[in-house]
């Protein structure tokens, strides 16, 4: 089944086509979300939300880009929404703890990616930790290019930006990561 | 020392180079379909959730009104005149208007 056929059947509300879509793209979406949120359970939950969103808004998909590009965009948006909610929750919890209310802070262990080679385990864990401190756009660019292995062309289409500005983003991301890693290794 | 740190940083920055893809969890398809077919909350529940803000705003409004009314009433009493809430309001504003007229 071609992509156009699949899209047409999805727009017709065919559930079999939807199952086919999940089978085709679940690993791609799950890996992207996992690299972004760095938590296994949350990544599964968000992957589910991505596909539900796809099902709900397939009628609005114009087909200007590839289906995978559209899926990446939805996945990234979901991750950013999750991150913002999470940050707001953390702020609320720290406010509660200041006022002596039950505002316990969740301690999240360092993320160890299951697909990492043993020799690189410590360094990759460190890099994931440093990534959390980057501004949103730099984090998305670095994660999609370095962790998901996408090309600059693909990422520029997903992020709806030019390759030139994507290169700038990557340069700044590397500089910022270098600074925080240097600080860590010096201490 | 710095050379050593630079080397470590470079190695860390390249540590995603051989990152392998992870398989999505088993049973993901079923869980997505299950969530999709779940009935949404009833319209009444949705309306109540939105209405509760309106109710809260109304309650705050009423409390503020009562507080203002009591404070004006007390002001009237402290001046030696026992007036009702409305009349204390009226006298307050009448007094102001009258003074403005004579100015």
């Amino acid at each position: 089944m071609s992509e156009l056929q699949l899209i047409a059947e999805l727009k017709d509300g065919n559930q079999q086509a939807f199952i086919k879509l999940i089978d085709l793209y679940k690993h791609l979406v799950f890996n992207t979300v996992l690299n972004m949120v760095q938590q296994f359970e949350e990544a599964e939950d968000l992957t589910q939300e991505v596909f539900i969103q796809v099902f709900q808004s397939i009628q609005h998909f114009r087909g200007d880009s590839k289906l995978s590009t559209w899926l990446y965009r939805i996945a990234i948006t979901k991750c950013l929404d999750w991150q913002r909610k999470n940050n707001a929750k953390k702020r609320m919890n720290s406010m509660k703890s200041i006022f002596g209310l039950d505002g316990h802070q969740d301690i999240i262990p360092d993320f160890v990616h299951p697909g990492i080679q043993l020799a690189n385990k410590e360094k990759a864990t460190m890099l994931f930790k440093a990534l959390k401190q980057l501004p949103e756009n730099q984090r998305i660019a670095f994660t999609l290019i370095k962790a998901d292995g996408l090309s600059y062309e693909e990422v520029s289409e997903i992020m709806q930006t030019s390759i030139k500005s994507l290169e700038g983003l990557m340069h700044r991301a590397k500089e910022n990561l270098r600074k925080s890693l240097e600080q860590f290794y010096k201490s | 020392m710095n050379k050593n740190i630079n080397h470590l940083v470079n190695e860390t920055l390249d540590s995603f180079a051989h990152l392998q893809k992870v398989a999505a969890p088993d049973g993901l398809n079923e869980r997505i379909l299950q969530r999709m077919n779940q009935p949404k909350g009833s319209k009444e529940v949705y309306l109540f959730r939105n209405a509760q803000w309106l109710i809260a705003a109304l309650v705050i409004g009423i409390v503020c009104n009562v507080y203002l009314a009591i404070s004006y009433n007390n002001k009237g009493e402290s001046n030696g005149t026992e007036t009702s809430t409305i009349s204390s309001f009226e006298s307050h504003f009448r007094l102001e208007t009258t003074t403005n007229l004579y100015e």
Side-chain angles (χ1 to χ4, degrees):
Chain A
M1 192 192 285
S2 74
E3 194 172 289
L4 282 175
Q5 260 180 314
L6 181 66
I7 295 164
E9 288 196 16
L10 284 168
K11 285 189 175 179
D12 283 342
N14 184 345
Q15 194 153 4
Q16 285 308 313
F18 189 65
I19 294 167
K20 173 100 180 157
L21 175 90
I22 300 172
D23 277 332
L24 276 173
Y25 293 107
K26 65 180 176 186
H27 301 300
L28 175 146
V29 172
F30 181 72
N31 277 279
T32 304
V33 173
L34 182 67
N35 291 333
M36 284 292 291
V37 301
Q38 305 181 14
Q39 286 179 48
F40 216 82
E41 285 79 17
E42 295 294 345
E44 194 199 325
D45 201 44
L46 285 169
T47 306
Q48 291 177 19
E49 279 181 28
V50 169
F51 282 107
I52 292 166
Q53 178 77 62
V54 168
F55 187 71
Q56 285 168 349
S57 32
I58 189 74
Q59 299 300 335
H60 305 294
F61 179 62
R62 293 191 305 267
D64 296 340
S65 58
K66 282 198 293 181
L67 197 56
S68 59
T69 307
W70 189 54
L71 275 162
Y72 272 119
R73 262 184 226 150
I74 296 175
I76 296 292
T77 313
K78 287 273 171 205
C79 292
L80 294 180
D81 285 347
W82 175 85
Q83 189 70 57
R84 284 170 200 148
K85 274 183 200 162
N86 213 28
N87 288 346
K89 211 167 128 186
K90 274 184 198 165
R91 274 197 298 272
M92 184 62 97
N93 275 343
S94 58
M95 286 282 280
K96 278 182 180 174
S97 61
I98 288 169
F99 291 108
L101 297 163
D102 184 30
H104 65 279
Q105 299 267 12
D106 292 331
I107 299 158
I108 301 158
D110 289 343
F111 174 61
V112 182
H113 195 286
I116 207 84
Q117 285 177 332
L118 202 64
N120 274 334
K121 200 174 163 181
E122 245 175 77
K123 290 190 181 86
T125 305
M126 190 51 60
L127 187 54
F128 270 118
K129 204 173 171 180
L131 265 174
K132 282 184 187 174
Q133 291 161 9
L134 286 186
E136 274 176 7
N137 269 0
Q138 292 176 24
R139 187 153 55 96
I140 297 166
F142 192 90
T143 310
L144 290 178
I145 289 169
K146 294 288 181 182
D148 288 293
L150 298 184
S151 66
Y152 273 68
E153 284 78 14
E154 285 171 307
V155 179
S156 72
E157 211 181 326
I158 293 164
M159 294 180 75
Q160 292 171 305
T161 182
S162 67
I163 293 184
K164 197 99 182 152
S165 47
L166 181 62
E167 282 170 350
L169 271 178
M170 276 300 279
H171 178 75
R172 287 197 294 280
K174 280 180 193 168
E175 283 302 303
N176 286 335
L177 285 172
R178 190 173 285 280
K179 274 180 206 161
S180 49
L181 289 170
E182 270 172 5
Q183 258 181 357
F184 169 76
Y185 284 121
K186 276 177 187 167
S187 61
Chain B
M1 176 72 175
N2 268 345
K3 211 174 170 183
N4 207 2
I5 287 175
N6 265 341
H7 181 68
L8 267 172
V9 168
N10 286 337
E11 272 189 356
T12 311
L13 282 172
D14 288 335
S15 61
F16 284 171
H18 304 290
L19 199 69
Q20 284 172 352
K21 296 271 181 256
V22 184
D26 291 335
L28 185 71
N29 298 22
E30 291 74 28
R31 285 195 286 278
I32 293 170
L33 293 173
Q34 205 181 352
R35 265 179 84 167
M36 264 174 50
N37 297 324
Q38 252 173 17
K40 285 178 184 169
S42 69
K43 207 174 177 180
E44 287 76 20
V45 171
Y46 174 77
L47 280 174
F48 175 73
R49 273 188 195 150
N50 284 323
Q52 65 186 3
W53 292 105
L54 193 68
I55 295 165
L58 270 170
V59 170
I60 292 168
I62 291 165
V63 169
C64 287
N65 261 322
V66 169
Y67 172 76
L68 277 172
I70 291 169
S71 68
Y72 272 112
N73 208 11
N74 287 345
K75 213 175 176 183
E77 278 172 12
S78 65
N79 288 340
T81 49
E82 268 192 48
T83 49
S84 73
T85 314
I86 294 165
S87 63
S88 86
F89 250 101
E90 278 176 350
S91 63
H92 176 78
F93 285 110
R94 261 186 215 148
L95 195 69
E96 273 192 0
T97 344
T98 347
T99 29
N100 283 340
L101 270 173
Y102 285 106
E103 272 171 4

